[in-house]
Every structure is written in C-alpha cells, then in structure tokens.
Amino acid sequence: MNYYSLNHKSPNVSFEEAVVNGLAPDRGLYFPENVTPLPKEFIDNIGEYSNEEIAYQAIKQFVGDEIPKEVLQEIIKETINFEFPVVAIEENIGTLELFHGPTMAFKDVGARFMARCLGYFNLDKDQQVTVLVATSGDTGGAVANGFLGVKGVDVVILYPSGKVSDIQEKQLTTLGQNITALEVDGVFDDCQDMVKTAFLDADIQRTLTSANSINIARWLPQMFYFFFAYKQVYKQHKEVVFSVPSGNFGNICAGIMAQKLGLPIKHFIASTNINDTVPAFLQSGKYTPKPSKATISNAMDVGNPSNFIRIQELFNNDIKLLKAAFSSFSFSDEETRTAMKNIYTNATYIADPHGAVGYLGLKEYGLQNEFGIFLETAHPVKFLDVVEEVLNVSVEIPPQIVSVIDKQKEAIQINSYQELKDFLNA
C-alpha cells in the first residue's frame, strides 16, 4: 500500500515512510491510494470472529507486506488487550466505552499500535526518532504511555497550559524516561501549529514524526472500535448510527473508513462543543477555521480540525455526498451539563462531558428505528471536577489513575515556536 499527500505536491510513499514522516513534505496529510472493501461474508458473520481477527482483517491492506503477518498479529494483540463494551443507556441508544485501556482514553489503541509499528521499523536501526505531538488532553497521556521505553524513540508532547484536566496533565508529565512534556502558553491550535511547522523546518536537527491522528498509524487503528461495536449490536437487525465526540476529527474519520471497508453504518454524527468549525461548514459550504475556545469538554477544543480534509477526501470532496452520510451539531457547556444529568437520572450512568456531547448528537439527529451509539471516549475520572460538580457524586479512582495522581509534574514551559526549535536542537 502506498500513500499520497492530500496536498498532491509530494511523492507517494510506503506505509513505513508515512509512519516515520508523519506529515508529507508539502504539509499534506497522507491518505491510502486504494481502499478495498472486505468480503460481505466476513461482515455478515462478524460475530464469529475474535476482536483480534477483526482488527487484523481491517488493517492488513493498509500495512501491506511491510510488517510480517505474525508480527502484525502480535502488535494487534498487544494493542487491544482490553474490553470495548457497548453499554445500554436507553431502548435505542448505547454507549461504546473506549476507556478500558492503560490511560483510560480512546487514544490508547492508536498510540499503542503506532508505538509498536515504529518499534518494529527501528528494530535493526541505530536511528533515533523524535515523536512530536500536540495534545488537547488525552492524546498526550496515551502517547506517553504507548511509547514509554520504546527503543530509538524520544517523545516530546506539547500541551496548552491550564487547558487540560489535572489528571490528564499528570498522565503526560510524570513518566520521565524518554518522555518530555512542553507546557505551551496558548491553546491547542497553537500547539498543533508548532508541531506542523517543526516538521517542515530544515534547520531542526532531529528526525521527527507525529503521533497525533494526522499520522496514519495513529488514525487508522481507530477503525477497530466501530467493528467491535457493530459486532455487539448487529443481531438486533437495526440500522446503526454513530455519534462521535469530535475535536480533531480523527476518530470519526476512522469510522467512515470502516464504512468504506463495508461496515453497514447508516449515518455518522460529529458532535462538537462550541468549537463549531465543521457544523458551520455544513451550513454555509465555506470552511472557516476559528480560534479554539475553552470548554468543559476540553479534548474537543479544536478550531481547525486536521482530519476533516481526510473526511472530505473520503466523499470525493462532494458536500452533497458528505451531507447524505454525515451530520455535525454543536452544543454548549450548559447543554452538556444537562445531558450529563439526564443520562445519570435515566440510566444511572456517569458520562464524561465528551460522551454527553455525543449523546446530544443522537438526540439532535432524531433516531427513528435505528440503534444509536455514542462514543464514551474517556473515563469520567479524567474530568473529576466537572463530573462531581454536575452530578453531585463521588467517582471511584481506578488503579490506572491512582498510579500517577500523586507523582510530581515535570514540564518545560515555552511561549513560542522558536523556543520549541531551540529545545529540539539543544
């Protein structure tokens, strides 16, 4: 499988080159040359396969022969060695829990898969690679955990000061070893812009790659969730609608790729907070990035979502095709708090703010005879202050969080791209 740049001004590359490069030289995101649907028989009988078998079938064409079958199967086994349950909320609504991994966020899967791919590619090389990543919350902790101790890889994480939760900050600033956290005076979009600029800066004397969802090895494995969810509900014989809390739009983009592989998903809803660049685009037809605004669902505080260009590519840049299969709605913090209370009152279920936004997307869409699934992308403990204040409940601290909560934060403060560049060249 080869990959091309969505800016169409760089040479096509292999899977390995796309993973190591992260971003094409023309600043474009990489995209697979071909997408071949899986056999209908496989989809129709998905309940007969293990999650590991499903994940292998979904990802193998994108990796090709660059990682041997046995190695790829072992990477998958290590990547998804936890549960992905669909939990009933209402008669026609369930939530797909994606927080049962080591950092209790959906990004564990992509981070672990990418770390193991990069580890394989570096196995017999002396080259040192620096993974440079921006985070609005959960990416940093997942990447830090996934790459901790990986041979030949240094990790540098940029995060916006004061705009991630305390637990999210601890998860990305307390591990040490090959992990360094840079605390940026700004918002997530500032962090993301610095990362993109660094990739194309010829004066930086390191080999850089990204572990944001702009990297194909972080983005594509997120397809697995949608297959796992469908496997659990397909015997209800209802059409399935997914509502995905969306920030950088990598997760929902991976779901659309699963649909292109043949997964029979009726509709996708990108549920956002007040950072409504994509909902506004669907209304006006004009894509106008905006400065991001801080909300209680901070992992979605993104004003210029990188992966939306991939979604447009999946629909041949045809807004009519896009609108037929894809909706996007924006919700305020007040609406999010109300949804959290309603979910708890009606189902005795504690949803984090991001999951609550996903739930609101299903309500706005208006389910008829379909079964709606909203993604619960992080454990509510990661947003403890908000959850306990809104619901007046105490959330038990899971072992994954206990292990970092009392550790000492270690971060380097930076205020400009030049400071990032100086750090990387130091």
Side-chain angles (χ1 to χ4, degrees), residues 113-367:
F113 184 84
M114 181 187 167
R116 283 153 179 78
C117 288
L118 204 53
Y120 173 77
F121 293 141
N122 281 344
L123 208 56
D124 300 316
K125 298 176 183 176
D126 294 328
Q127 181 182 14
Q128 195 77 10
V129 175
T130 296
V131 172
L132 187 62
V133 62
T135 184
S136 56
D138 287 324
T139 296
V143 168
N145 185 279
F147 282 87
L148 186 65
V150 173
K151 174 185 175 289
V153 179
D154 294 319
V155 178
V156 178
I157 301 168
L158 283 71
Y159 73 99
S161 181
K163 295 178 176 63
V164 302
S165 75
D166 292 342
I167 288 174
Q168 287 173 322
E169 186 174 43
K170 285 292 183 74
Q171 287 184 313
L172 60 94
T173 62
T174 61
L175 293 177
Q177 295 188 47
N178 59 327
I179 313 295
T180 302
L182 303 182
E183 185 175 0
V184 177
D185 182 16
V187 297
F188 169 74
D189 294 313
D190 299 318
C191 301
Q192 184 164 254
D193 287 344
M194 287 185 189
V195 167
K196 289 181 176 179
T197 301
F199 287 144
L200 303 175
D201 191 332
D203 294 331
I204 290 179
Q205 298 153 21
R206 295 201 197 194
T207 300
L208 299 178
T209 191
S210 171
N212 282 94
S213 54
I214 60 175
N215 192 301
I216 57 164
R218 251 289 322 277
W219 163 52
L220 286 170
Q222 294 174 126
M223 294 186 297
F224 301 163
Y225 317 140
F226 299 89
F227 282 96
F228 299 163
Y230 181 77
K231 172 185 172 182
Q232 294 174 68
V233 304
Y234 80 107
K235 287 188 177 179
Q236 294 186 22
H237 303 293
K238 289 185 176 182
E239 293 180 302
V240 179
V241 174
F242 278 99
S243 178
V244 183
S246 297
N248 223 10
F249 280 69
N251 209 8
I252 194 166
C253 184
I256 296 168
M257 182 63 83
Q259 183 188 51
K260 298 297 181 184
L261 289 181
L263 200 63
I265 301 169
K266 179 182 180 181
H267 201 81
F268 285 96
I269 304 159
S271 299
T272 78
N273 54 33
I274 58 171
N275 294 282
D276 64 348
T277 299
V278 171
F281 165 75
L282 294 180
Q283 289 288 330
S284 68
K286 296 180 180 179
Y287 186 80
T288 308
K290 308 171 184 179
S292 61
K293 300 174 184 176
T295 72
I296 60 171
S297 51
N298 66 274
M300 302 192 299
D301 293 348
V302 181
N304 186 15
S306 293
N307 284 286
F308 191 61
I309 190 172
R310 281 182 171 141
I311 292 175
Q312 291 173 291
E313 186 78 358
L314 283 163
F315 290 99
N316 300 318
N317 294 290
D318 185 327
I319 193 169
K320 290 183 180 178
L321 289 177
L322 175 64
K323 285 184 173 182
F326 177 95
S327 302
S328 190
F329 308 117
S330 169
F331 303 99
S332 68
D333 280 354
E334 182 180 354
E335 291 172 301
T336 303
R337 290 187 178 96
T338 299
M340 291 170 67
K341 291 175 183 176
N342 289 342
I343 294 169
Y344 186 70
T345 299
N346 297 330
T348 323
Y349 186 86
I350 299 174
D352 91 296
H354 304 76
V357 171
Y359 171 83
L360 285 168
L362 289 174
K363 290 297 185 180
E364 183 72 18
Y365 174 76
L367 296 168

Side-chain angles (χ1 to χ4, degrees), residues 37-49:
L38 298 173
K40 185 176 183 299
E41 182 183 9
F42 173 78
I43 301 295
D44 289 345
N45 297 287
I46 196 167
E48 298 178 9
Y49 298 92

